[in-house]
Amino acid sequence: MCGIIGYTGPLDARRILLEGLSGLEYRGYDSAGIALCTVNADIELYKKVGKVSNLKEYCDRRSAAAAHCGIGHTRWATHGGVTDANAHPHRAGRVTLIHNGIIENYHDLTGRFRLEGQLISQTDSEVAARVLDQIYQGDPLAALKELAEMLEGSYGFCVMFDDQPGNIYAIRSVSPLVASCTRSGSLVASDLTALIPYTREYFVVPENHIVKLTPYKVNVYSLEEDFPRVVPEMMCVNWNMDAAMKNGYPHFMLKEIHEQPEAMKNTILPRISRGLPDFSEDGIPDELFTGCSQIHVVACGTAMHTGMVARAVMEPVLRIPVHVTIASEFRYEDPLVDEKTLVIVISQSGETIDTLAALRLAQEYGARTLSIVNVKGSTIARESDFVLYTHAGPEIAVASTKAYSVQLAALYMVACRMAYVRGKYSREEAVRFLTDLLDSVPAMETMLTQADFIRGIVTHIIQSPDAFFIGRGLDYAFSLEGALKLKEISYIHAEAYAAGELKHGTIALISDRVPVIATATQEHVFSKTISNIREVKARGAYVILLARESAVIDSGLADVVIRIPDVDDRFTVFPIAVALQLIAYYASVGKNLDVDQPRNLAKSVTVE
Ligand code: M6R
């Protein structure tokens, strides 16, 4: 969480920082701030509660100084409320600092360095700034190293020292940082989106290394004795700035919903060889799939929901246990994981701290790890034994949409390859499965043509404080995601239930006109789900039913029926995902809410 950026070079630092922060705002939008090192080598601070647009206005009003060097921050509050004082940058003596992460031992450090009475904010970050100022004796590398040795927790810091005008120092542990030396100057940021307007080449700041940015040079130093210089591995982004713009759509979320068919093709097509899924270009050997006796899928939020779908698809074919666990639970359990376990971690950002910790735990237990990640070079991708990149392009809206579909596409391909190499699928069956997966793409396109119809039916949902999502089997797994999406961006209390479980308690909540979004696409439990729908209908529910084109639905069963294209049972998730995302999207729009940046959330969750 929190977006950070540092710039030094020939251009207008204020403009670059403010534009960069607008692109990073999805990481946190409680407050924003910049510190500029002026042409007279003074440091000027501008910070404001609220969005980057507030900060821009504030900078204009105060005629922010001309500068060629500065650092900027968008905050997702952890320690201390949402106030101007708690906004970054923090200034302490000769040090100006921005921070992404959490310093866990800030309380101890406050006592040890006698900081009580000096602190202006309630943040852990200011403590780090003040400690750094106390230990700084003119050598930034030595001071940052000493600070790093004292800190517990996670951090990505950018620091300006008063006696080093024009230079920026950055260091990280766990929290992400990327950097680049471009023709327009040197940049460091928490995410690539801030770098892309200036370059496509960048490097990931290695953990526990210091980066020094001067206007025309970026050097990386190891923390070993005498700080030897390290040459980082350069990477290249395969998307451009257009991908990170709204391109005529009113919201990123709607744009990203519409990008799904393309993202699916980009993820699937390069990995087909002779009609079968093939991961040789990804460096993933078949032995990874044949050598395991169980699978654990570990992830958070939407990514975890893809695991729920994958289990329902994989287990019946592979006939080995597939467990799905929330990463924040997995990491504090003593999971039954060993060398014969394949742990699949899923993360759009590749930086989710709980998922990263789960990955590390799995590796400690000797498991082999495969990550499914969207952001190239992210920590999870780098630390897992094997990585399967999804090619969704940047996902900016906080609510995940295209990442969900492509994670599923990748998991379905893994399921298919695994079934084939383990002898569970004949070649024909594997080819058929992959063909069905590809047929899901036009099914999603068809679903997108129903956007206006879906917009029309959300009126009833937005009038209710609650909504229920029900389904059986795979339909239940989709419902979990539908409910998360709705509550996340419309603030309607939405819960998903296995349809057959309602009568064991939840049905007590069904009252007159309460919206029930029922999904009934699984043939083998279709009639059972229909019975459960009748039960809620009999108790006054307003039923929105998602069913196949060909399903025969009695009149009176549902108030609204959304028809989805006829695809094989295992693939209905793809058009259903589009429909459920559109329901959530139009509900949020209908309530006039901030679709892309819902309250209390951030895109990348890098704190526990
Ligand atoms: O970057 P990740 O995929 O690891 O993120 C995991 C969750 O935080 C994320 O999917 C979250 O649940 C979404 N905001 C839901 O739309």
Side-chain angles (χ1 to χ4, degrees):
M1 354 269 289
C2 298
I4 64 181
I5 177 171
Y7 169 79
T8 179
L11 306 182
D12 173 7
R14 170 189 150 175
R15 179 182 62 77
I16 289 181
L17 295 179
L18 290 173
E19 282 175 7
L21 288 181
S22 300
L24 293 174
E25 199 167 39
Y26 62 94
R27 293 186 67 97
Y29 29 86
D30 288 329
S31 62
I34 56 172
L36 299 172
C37 174
T38 70
V39 283
N40 303 323
D42 295 326
I43 300 288
E44 289 199 358
L45 277 192
Y46 304 86
K47 0 199 249 184
K48 266 278 153 247
V49 159
K51 298 210 168 189
V52 176
S53 52
N54 280 4
L55 176 68
K56 274 185 184 150
E57 266 174 39
Y58 179 65
C59 288
D60 287 344
R61 245 186 298 129
R62 283 192 46 200
S63 313
H68 297 291
C69 174
I71 53 180
H73 187 272
T74 58
R75 177 167 187 246
W76 188 83
T78 56
H79 293 63
V82 178
T83 63
D84 288 349
N86 288 338
H88 299 218
H90 291 288
R91 186 143 167 80
R94 297 151 300 167
V95 164
T96 310
L97 168 149
I98 50 176
H99 171 217
N100 169 28
I102 288 187
I103 306 303
E104 286 165 2
N105 58 339
Y106 78 102
H107 196 67
D108 296 346
L109 293 170
T110 306
R112 193 163 135 205
F113 285 83
R114 298 200 166 83
L115 299 176
E116 293 92 354
Q118 292 179 46
L119 297 170
I120 295 164
S121 74
Q122 294 127 12
T123 65
D124 52 337
S125 315
E126 189 193 350
V127 171
R130 296 214 172 266
V131 170
L132 185 59
D133 180 51
Q134 284 200 22
I135 59 183
Y136 181 55
Q137 293 180 348
D139 182 347
L141 300 188
L144 283 167
K145 177 179 175 176
E146 201 180 330
L147 179 72
E149 284 165 356
M150 273 185 268
L151 297 181
E152 287 166 21
S154 58
Y155 51 83
F157 290 126
C158 289
V159 184
M160 295 194 295
F161 295 91
D162 283 7
D163 58 354
Q164 298 268 328
N167 297 343
I168 296 171
Y169 292 83
I171 184 168
R172 79 177 192 89
S173 176
V174 185
S175 304
L177 274 182
V178 287
S180 185
C181 182
T182 78
R183 278 196 213 150
S184 314
S186 303
L187 287 133
V188 59
S190 49
D191 293 52
L192 273 178
T193 37
L195 266 48
I196 298 306
Y198 310 98
T199 184
R200 305 190 76 171
E201 298 212 319
Y202 68 100
F203 64 89
V204 175
V205 175
E207 284 236 352
N208 300 315
H209 283 64
I210 298 172
V211 179
K212 177 181 177 184
L213 292 95
T214 62
Y216 300 101
K217 218 169 17 168
V218 177
N219 286 339
V220 182
Y221 302 94
S222 146
L223 293 188
E224 284 158 34
E225 209 180 318
D226 296 333
F227 303 105
R229 262 192 64 194
V230 172
V231 180
E233 186 195 340
M234 293 307 290
M235 307 186 92
C236 193
V237 208
N238 54 4
W239 47 269
N240 59 25
M241 213 37 211
D242 277 358
M245 311 280 277
K246 286 190 199 147
N247 288 344
Y249 285 93
H251 299 101
F252 279 112
M253 184 178 176
L254 189 62
K255 174 181 174 246
E256 288 160 7
I257 290 173
H258 280 268
E259 282 172 346
Q260 290 181 103
E262 205 51 41
M264 291 277 289
K265 284 188 253 170
N266 291 343
T267 301
I268 301 169
L269 294 178
R271 297 188 170 109
I272 299 180
S273 171
R274 299 175 57 235
L276 293 175
D278 184 306
F279 302 115
S280 41
E281 291 284 305
D282 301 286
I284 301 173
D286 282 340
E287 179 269 319
L288 184 71
F289 300 140
T290 51
C292 60
S293 57
Q294 62 166 350
I295 299 173
H296 271 267
V297 182
V298 189
C300 301
T302 291
M304 194 273 294
H305 291 157
T306 66
M308 307 277 287
V309 176
R311 175 178 55 197
V313 171
M314 284 175 162
E315 252 180 2
V317 182
L318 300 177
R319 307 309 299 169
I320 56 171
V322 180
H323 314 273
V324 184
T325 315
I326 297 169
S328 53
E329 293 295 316
F330 182 91
R331 62 180 296 193
Y332 293 113
E333 287 170 355
D334 185 7
L336 293 175
V337 167
D338 57 18
E339 304 76 33
K340 298 288 271 180
T341 306
L342 172 61
V343 172
I344 304 181
V345 296
I346 309 169
S347 175
Q348 186 284 129
S349 60
E351 301 293 349
T352 301
I353 194 92
D354 289 317
T355 311
L356 175 61
L359 166 72
R360 289 175 177 167
L361 182 73
Q363 285 172 332
E364 264 173 45
Y365 278 57
R368 305 188 72 194
T369 55
L370 167 67
S371 62
I372 295 179
V373 171
N374 196 42
V375 177
K376 213 169 154 189
S378 54
T379 313
I380 290 175
R382 282 182 290 111
E383 290 198 13
S384 45
D385 300 330
F386 300 97
V387 56
L388 203 51
Y389 281 114
T390 51
H391 299 304
E395 193 181 63
I396 309 284
V398 166
S400 189
T401 53
K402 59 179 177 173
Y404 176 74
S405 308
V406 294
Q407 284 162 0
L408 283 172
L411 283 164
Y412 273 55
M413 291 187 87
V414 167
C416 183
R417 182 82 201 174
M418 242 174 139
Y420 177 65
V421 295
R422 291 175 78 101
K424 300 291 183 188
Y425 270 172
S426 65
R427 188 183 158 77
E428 292 65 40
E429 284 169 316
V431 169
R432 177 75 247 156
F433 185 96
L434 193 54
T435 311
D436 283 342
L437 179 60
L438 283 168
D439 287 346
S440 311
V441 177
M444 293 173 102
E445 281 160 351
T446 306
M447 217 55 233
L448 285 167
T449 63
Q450 295 204 45
D452 283 342
F453 172 67
I454 292 175
R455 182 212 294 256
I457 61 145
V458 296
T459 333
H460 187 86
I461 299 177
I462 62 180
Q463 284 160 3
S464 171
D466 305 297
F468 296 91
F469 287 72
I470 63 169
R472 283 174 179 254
L474 269 170
D475 286 329
Y476 170 52
F478 317 156
S479 300
L480 288 166
E481 176 59 7
L484 173 61
K485 218 85 302 172
L486 186 66
K487 62 188 135 191
E488 185 177 19
I489 56 170
S490 76
Y491 315 151
I492 293 169
H493 167 242
E495 297 301 338
Y497 292 96
E501 183 66 9
L502 287 180
K503 55 190 175 291
H504 298 288
T506 311
I507 203 159
L509 296 172
I510 303 297
S511 56
D512 204 28
R513 307 292 287 165
V514 69
V516 173
I517 295 119
T519 305
T521 68
Q522 300 301 297
E523 208 48 54
H524 68 297
V525 283
F526 181 75
S527 59
K528 302 287 172 198
T529 309
I530 296 300
S531 301
N532 299 136
I533 295 172
R534 287 193 203 290
E535 289 158 11
V536 293
K537 191 74 193 129
R539 286 158 180 84
Y542 181 91
V543 175
I544 297 172
L545 172 61
L546 287 91
R548 283 162 196 286
E549 201 65 67
S550 58
V552 179
I553 308 292
D554 291 350
S555 64
L557 177 72
D559 296 271
V560 177
V561 182
I562 301 176
R563 293 288 184 173
I564 66 137
D566 279 312
V567 290
D568 177 274
D569 277 22
R570 288 167 300 182
F571 299 88
T572 55
V573 63
F574 295 100
I576 289 285
V578 173
L580 295 178
Q581 292 160 359
L582 287 170
I583 289 175
Y585 173 75
Y586 285 118
S588 181
V589 171
K591 292 184 78 177
N592 213 8
L593 296 172
D594 191 339
V595 177
D596 286 335
Q597 294 177 343
R599 70 184 177 207
N600 304 340
L601 287 166
K603 182 70 184 163
S604 178
V605 185
T606 51
V607 296
E608 270 195 64

